[in-house]
Amino acid sequence: MKDWATLTTVEEMEAATNSLLENGKKVGADSWQQRVKNQTPHCGFGEKGTCCRICAMGPCRITPKSPRGICGCDVHGIVARNFLRFSASGTATHSDHGREIMHTLHDASPDGFYQVKDPEKLIRIAKEWGVETEGKDIYDLAHEVAEVGLMEYGKPFGYQKFMSRLPEHTQKLLEEQELMPRAIDREVSQSLHMTHMGCSSLPEALLQQALRSAMSDGWGGSMMGTEFSDVLFGTPKPVDTTANIGVMEEDMVNIIVHGHDPSLSEMVVHYAQDPEMIALAKEMGAKGINVAGVCCTSNEVAMRHGIPMAGNFLNQENVVLTGACEAIVVDVQCIFPALGPLSKCFHTKFITTSPVAQMPDSEFVRFTTGDAGVKAKEIVEMAVRNFKNRKPELVNIPKQVSKARVGYSVEAIVKVLDGVANSQVDEFGTTKPLLDCITSGVIRGAVALVGCNNPKVRPDSAHIALMKKLLENDIVCIVSGCSAQAAAKAGLMDPVQAKEYCGDGLKRVCELADIPPVLHMGSCVDISRMMVLAAELSKDSGIPISKLPVVGCAPEWMSEKAVSIGNYVVGTGLDTFLGVEPFISGSERVASLLTSDDEGYKKWVEANFTVEKDIDKLGDLMIQRIEDKRAALGI
């Protein structure tokens, strides 16, 4: 085994967290670690998915003595309904993010707060959608495309436009199984209708709707969120940054952006660089303004501006516990309500900005595209003026910082690899060099590692352990969301250090292309980039997605969004491996439909889930699946 001592270890990160918890004890602060202890053991009925509360005759709990609910629904119908509702909520959440981006695009103007930063991509998508581009002002085109995109949420007929990006084999399969996603809002609405009392209780029907609803997210709402964020804020290119809690600066105003929607964070980053704000910071006694990120908002600004990444989901309290956070500014999703009372233990301002995510003990600054610059400047000024309220005796910033190269959009990956193999690269390039590496065996395959942190798993340990194992076996890791930040904190995105821990084949590729072995693709909506990459690999090779030596993995997932993501990754044709068990164990039938090689998902979409809580075994199973796919292809 290789020596990983030069990287930041999970143990070192835990030691830093423990020192911050000691800081919290000084002021009586609460923490998620303590709340986990207070909440365990968890409800057994909930964990098995065997509790039904969708009507007021119950709640009903399935036991050997009461095998059916009051309406007569059995455990299989109840578990499947709960699974569909969980997934549909994730579809709604991610797709609403995409909807907001489309509204932002509709408000873009040459003299407004938002401009079109990648007009070439806008024109390319417009042509893909059949929108006339010739002779049009770029902003008129942006507004027209935005309206077309917004119709994807409620159009009465047809399927999601981005489904045409899939290889013909996958499209035909989905059409045959009646799993092609229609309007996004229709799929979410139908999911709730199907799970209403007195409607569907057949597991197969409910799970098929979970797939179709999720596909409207991955190939609809999330994909629009990704693609049109690129149009507005720039398509990511490789950029060097830093990661881990040590990116916070003791002598600067520290503003933490947290959440998922880049419309807010882009403006905060902009006004934090305003000479007027920097001068005010110096007047307050600071050397300047330091913006750092948490969670997926962090990924967004890191890959476009090189903004440092302070941490992922379970690190959000840590930034406040440093005593050096002037403001934590949030938009939507994955935000702990605990940040309100925690911030009051320190001098930190907890600033909420969206009507979708309003929380107690926060300062609410309503943020809209119409007044984005005004509100962002107001927020930055609030943070700057708060510097003087910092208590020096409570400042504790652990000295942990890793280098990371981020920003590998599909376009960037293709350009880097195609540029190494060919002297001239066309507008989009080709995935052939990556395919050549895989078919020759230099790289054995690829794993899309995604997902959250979950206190049920030692934080970040599963992400990092799996990446180490995969890299040693010449399997490239493509990552997003909190998994990406776990890699960055551990140093696995450092193109100089991390390649030393790869197998010989992957190491050669990294040296030749000057890339890290763990490729950062962005935030959790940007898992849609991974689906586009898989589709391009399939079309360039002529091999169905389900037969490529590529799999998905979410070792520490926790949210409803993650279930939607898992469903659309599987629905696209990629076998997906989970380190946390979904709430399905109460029904052998549902579990079999999701995981069996003979029925259910495998039959419908040629891919399925594998659940294994032993992370080392999970890694072995992924490697074996990749090798099995290689053997089936004769490579």
Side-chain angles (χ1 to χ4, degrees), residues 463-586:
H463 294 296
I464 294 168
L466 285 172
M467 289 177 205
K468 292 178 183 179
K469 192 179 191 88
L470 296 167
L471 298 184
E472 290 172 352
N473 284 274
D474 288 318
I475 296 171
V476 67
C477 296
I478 301 172
V479 298
S480 69
C482 288
S483 183
Q485 289 163 325
K489 291 187 296 177
L492 294 176
M493 290 178 180
D494 183 337
V496 176
Q497 281 200 78
K499 66 184 178 184
E500 299 301 324
Y501 309 107
C502 300
D504 291 338
L506 181 55
K507 181 179 179 181
R508 288 202 303 276
V509 172
C510 291
E511 289 175 336
L512 186 62
D514 190 26
I515 58 174
V518 178
L519 296 175
H520 177 282
M521 288 203 88
S523 64
C524 52
V525 294
D526 294 332
I527 296 167
S528 59
R529 297 191 200 276
M530 299 175 179
M531 300 304 96
V532 171
L533 181 58
E536 291 301 313
L537 286 168
S538 175
K539 287 185 279 190
D540 286 345
S541 66
I543 301 169
I545 292 174
S546 59
K547 297 185 184 303
L548 291 169
V550 180
V551 300
C553 180
E556 301 182 25
W557 74 273
M558 64 87 201
S559 73
E560 293 165 317
K561 293 183 302 177
V563 176
S564 175
I565 291 166
N567 273 314
Y568 76 65
V569 173
V570 171
T572 300
L574 295 176
D575 292 321
T576 297
F577 294 74
L578 307 177
V580 174
E581 189 172 31
F583 300 151
I584 60 169
S585 62

Side-chain angles (χ1 to χ4, degrees), residues 582-600:
F583 300 151
I584 60 169
S585 62
S587 168
E588 291 182 3
R589 180 66 184 147
V590 171
S592 179
L593 289 168
L594 294 174
T595 64
S596 171
D597 287 334
D598 302 316
E599 61 174 345

Side-chain angles (χ1 to χ4, degrees), residues 122-390:
L122 174 62
I123 291 168
R124 190 166 71 241
I125 296 172
K127 290 178 178 178
E128 181 182 348
W129 282 1
V131 177
E132 180 58 53
T133 63
E134 196 65 33
K136 287 184 180 175
D137 174 81
I138 198 66
Y139 287 93
D140 290 340
L141 180 63
H143 302 158
E144 185 176 352
V145 168
E147 290 178 10
V148 173
L150 287 167
M151 280 301 295
E152 291 295 278
Y153 287 84
K155 63 185 182 184
F157 306 108
Y159 303 125
Q160 288 295 292
K161 289 184 177 293
F162 279 137
M163 295 301 290
S164 63
R165 293 181 167 186
L166 279 164
E168 186 177 342
H169 171 87
T170 310
Q171 291 188 52
K172 184 178 179 181
L173 182 67
L174 293 170
E175 286 175 356
E176 289 174 350
Q177 297 295 332
E178 297 185 7
L179 296 175
M180 288 285 276
R182 302 159 298 182
I184 299 164
D185 291 348
R186 180 179 183 182
E187 299 300 358
V188 174
S189 178
Q190 182 160 318
S191 298
L192 295 179
H193 186 182
M194 288 180 73
T195 56
H196 189 275
M197 188 274 158
C199 288
S200 291
S201 55
L202 182 68
E204 289 85 348
L206 292 159
L207 297 184
Q208 285 174 335
Q209 179 59 21
L211 279 170
R212 184 164 60 184
S213 173
M215 291 294 279
S216 77
D217 172 13
W219 292 89
S222 279
M223 197 164 286
M224 282 190 281
T226 292
E227 296 286 56
F228 293 105
S229 288
D230 288 355
V231 168
L232 284 163
F233 311 125
T235 300
K237 301 174 183 177
V239 60
D240 290 329
T241 187
T242 52
N244 221 326
I245 192 69
V247 302
M248 297 181 70
E249 300 283 355
E250 189 169 345
D251 55 4
M252 299 181 76
V253 173
N254 288 298
I255 301 175
I256 301 297
V257 289
H258 172 23
H260 288 76
D261 186 344
S263 301
L264 168 66
S265 53
E266 285 282 331
M267 289 290 104
V268 171
V269 168
H270 176 78
Y271 283 96
Q273 299 167 351
D274 186 335
E276 180 186 344
M277 291 295 101
I278 294 172
L280 181 61
K282 292 178 178 178
E283 185 181 326
M284 294 293 113
K287 287 187 177 180
I289 303 172
N290 177 48
V291 179
V294 165
C295 226
C296 280
T297 284
S298 177
N299 286 311
E300 296 279 3
V301 292
M303 66 185 177
R304 293 193 175 92
H305 304 287
I307 295 297
M309 299 185 283
N312 46 8
F313 175 65
L314 287 181
N315 297 138
Q316 60 185 280
E317 292 177 332
N318 287 15
V319 295
V320 179
L321 289 167
T322 63
C325 176
E326 273 60 61
I328 181 164
V329 186
V330 305
D331 43 77
V332 293
Q333 302 169 25
C334 298
I335 300 150
F336 277 176
L339 289 175
L342 175 63
S343 294
K344 287 187 175 298
C345 294
F346 293 86
H347 76 298
T348 305
K349 288 186 178 293
F350 175 40
I351 301 172
T352 53
T353 60
S354 170
V356 171
Q358 299 184 64
M359 298 183 185
D361 298 313
S362 70
E363 297 192 40
F364 183 58
V365 179
R366 177 70 178 270
F367 185 88
T368 67
T369 56
D371 61 6
V374 175
K375 295 297 185 180
K377 189 173 183 179
E378 177 185 335
I379 288 167
V380 172
E381 184 173 347
M382 287 171 65
V384 169
R385 292 190 181 280
N386 195 31
F387 181 79
K388 64 181 183 296
N389 296 319
R390 186 189 289 186

Side-chain angles (χ1 to χ4, degrees), residues 51-68:
C51 175
C52 181
R53 55 182 182 83
I54 64 170
C55 82
M57 293 191 293
C60 295
R61 299 178 298 177
I62 301 302
T63 68
K65 287 186 176 181
S66 54
R68 292 180 181 270

